[in-house]
Amino acid sequence: MIRVLLAEDQAMVRGAIATLLGLEPDIEVVGQASDGPGAVSTALDLRPDLCLLDIEMPGGSGLDAAEALHVQLPGTKILIFTVFDRPGHLRRAIAAGANGFIGKNRPVDELAVAIRQVMAGETVMEPALAATALRAVPNPLTPREREVLAAALDGAPIPAIATRVSLSEKTVRNYLSAAIQKTDCANRFEAARTAHDNGWL
């Protein structure tokens, strides 16, 4: 049996996927999580064969979880699945040690096939997305710049951003200024949107 941990923030979607995967004769969903940190802690407890991680989750993305799991559970395979098909996400997934990347728009039987392929040592990537990712501009932002831009995504003022990321307002301005230059944007709002749309956050 392939022991799978499923991390997805929407309970109904998570339950449906777990139920459908459970119908496969060689796949068992041994644990579930609704956010990135929960996925990491549950995986450390259960030590599954494969972690199936959504990207957009509260409290820490699936990509953050993938990075942590790649270090802490190097023997566990990682398959990213999401409705977001931004090239930057694929680049980050590969850099985080993910073994595959598949869209949520795929039928569950294709997801099951992808799980088996990853467990067999293959790398699973949707061809169109992989081709786009190869042509995409690499993420120019540092981890801190990404963190500050992510905090600015909803249009928050500088003091609120500083509080969110536990930095001084001056330091936040410096990071935002650098990010604006690197993304060739006019202001922090445009830079945050550009970074988001490219899958850099």
Side-chain angles (χ1 to χ4, degrees), residues 5 7 35-41 43-44 50-55 57 60-81 89-101:
L5 169 68
D35 57 36
V40 174
S41 62
L44 290 173
L50 180 142
C51 290
L52 183 59
L53 307 174
D54 185 18
I55 287 183
M57 294 187 290
S61 73
L63 296 176
D64 295 328
E67 290 172 351
L69 290 169
H70 183 61
V71 173
Q72 298 180 59
L73 287 177
T76 296
K77 304 290 188 180
I78 298 169
L79 180 59
I80 301 289
F81 78 127
H89 283 163
L90 179 54
R91 282 180 175 272
R92 269 196 75 193
I94 294 170
N99 305 97
F101 191 104

Side-chain angles (χ1 to χ4, degrees), residues 98-169:
N99 305 97
F101 191 104
I102 188 170
K104 281 186 181 177
N105 58 336
R106 298 298 185 189
V108 171
D109 59 341
E110 288 189 23
L111 176 59
V113 169
I115 289 172
R116 295 184 187 105
Q117 288 175 322
V118 166
M119 290 306 302
E122 298 178 37
T123 298
V124 177
M125 298 288 174
E126 294 188 31
L129 181 57
T132 302
L134 289 174
R135 294 191 300 268
V137 176
N139 184 352
L141 304 170
T142 66
R144 270 299 199 183
E145 288 164 357
R146 290 202 311 265
E147 180 184 14
V148 171
L149 274 185
L153 194 57
D154 63 355
I158 297 292
I161 296 171
T163 300
R164 291 176 184 176
V165 298
S166 301
L167 295 172
S168 71
E169 292 181 26

